[in-house]
Amino acid sequence: MRSIAAPVRSVLILKADRLCANAIHRISGRVFPSAEIGEARLLSEALQRISEKPLDLLLAGTTLIDGDIAEFLSQHAADAHLHRTFIITGSQKPWLLERLQALPIAGVFDSSAENAEVLASALQQVAAGKKYWSKTISSCLTTGMMPEHHAC
């Protein structure tokens, strides 16, 4: 998966939660006004779309109906049709975050701790070829605890 700056012309939002997917769609539309933005609820749907044409950015959740995002990415992250992946999750499970950290992804956004404006900024950073890891996620990975001292 490439982490260089490149125009974002196609985005796929992979989230089981429709309300969350719609909110991410609206934010992505503001950040990437000329991009084609699609939505998928299933990993199988996402894989089909990725195989049909190149995808500049996959925005994925971690709670999916038909599989495990970390497993999916470990199998498909090097796919030439999938340029960048950015995870948007409210989960702070250390075992999941450690698995994600080991993958060639652009980062993880903590939707339980950060707002829409921060997401828009994070998406701009990812589009510029940078990585974005929420401070709460980074803290959880280094300490095993959330900043408020709640268990991850």
Side-chain angles (χ1 to χ4, degrees):
M1 191 172 323
R2 290 168 271 213
S3 61
I4 58 172
V8 175
R9 293 180 293 264
S10 59
V11 176
L12 180 62
I13 299 162
L14 175 59
K15 294 286 279 183
D17 182 315
R18 296 289 23 129
L19 180 63
C20 194
N22 290 338
I24 294 167
H25 194 133
R26 283 192 305 279
I27 295 164
S28 299
R30 286 196 317 263
V31 175
F32 311 116
S34 60
E36 176 186 329
I37 302 172
E39 295 181 22
R41 294 187 70 203
L42 304 172
L43 286 168
S44 55
E45 235 184 303
L47 184 57
Q48 179 182 348
R49 291 186 188 186
I50 292 165
S51 68
E52 290 171 355
K53 66 179 185 173
L55 181 63
D56 294 322
L57 182 59
L58 174 65
L59 302 176
T62 55
T63 305
L64 301 170
I65 296 168
D66 64 339
D68 177 285
I69 190 63
E71 181 65 28
F72 175 82
L73 291 173
S74 69
Q75 294 173 6
H76 301 286
D79 186 327
H81 283 244
L82 180 56
H83 297 175
R84 286 169 278 201
T85 299
F86 188 61
I87 304 297
I88 301 172
T89 185
S91 174
Q92 293 97 19
K93 297 173 184 156
W95 60 269
L96 174 61
L97 299 176
E98 288 168 4
R99 287 180 68 201
L100 293 172
Q101 187 178 34
L103 295 169
I105 61 173
V108 178
F109 178 86
D110 185 354
S111 61
S112 71
E114 296 177 300
N115 64 30
E117 290 78 25
V118 177
L119 177 58
S121 176
L123 292 175
Q124 290 168 341
Q125 289 180 46
V126 169
K130 299 175 184 172
K131 293 193 180 274
Y132 179 89
W133 285 77
S134 292
K135 289 179 184 174
T136 52
I137 298 292
S138 295
S139 175
C140 184
L141 284 166
T142 57
T143 66
M145 299 290 289
M146 293 305 291
E148 300 82 31
H149 304 290
H150 296 113
C152 296

